[in-house]
Amino acid sequence: LPAAVLLKDTKLMDVKLGQLGSWLAMRDFTPGGILGALKRGHNRYYNKYINVRKGGLGGISMVLAGYVVLSYMWSYSHV
């Protein structure tokens, strides 16, 4: 049998709709808690997309696609 996970330690994607209110009540909405959540999110993004062991074509192609979209928006501002 899997060990019971406390509702406080449950990820948002695993929370059932009926438990959402009590799960939100357990969150830390102080400025320090919000800052900590932002730092964890930034670290997760950085380690997944920026700080990779083996770089590939994906990162370069995302930058290139962003440049193409941005230059299209600047050239065709009337659209």
Side-chain angles (χ1 to χ4, degrees), residues 15-78:
V15 174
K16 299 201 175 10
L17 194 57
Q19 300 172 332
L20 187 60
S22 57
W23 183 84
L24 282 173
M26 293 181 191
R27 301 293 100 198
D28 184 14
F29 288 108
T30 62
I34 293 171
L35 187 62
L38 289 174
K39 284 182 183 180
R40 285 191 305 273
H42 174 265
N43 287 338
R44 184 177 299 150
Y45 174 82
Y46 181 80
N47 288 327
K48 186 172 182 178
Y49 294 109
I50 307 299
N51 189 21
V52 293
R53 288 182 186 222
K54 185 173 76 171
L57 197 58
I60 296 170
S61 63
M62 281 195 294
V63 170
L64 183 63
Y67 171 74
V68 167
V69 169
L70 192 62
S71 64
Y72 179 82
M73 287 172 32
W74 283 338
S75 296
Y76 299 101
S77 60
H78 63 279

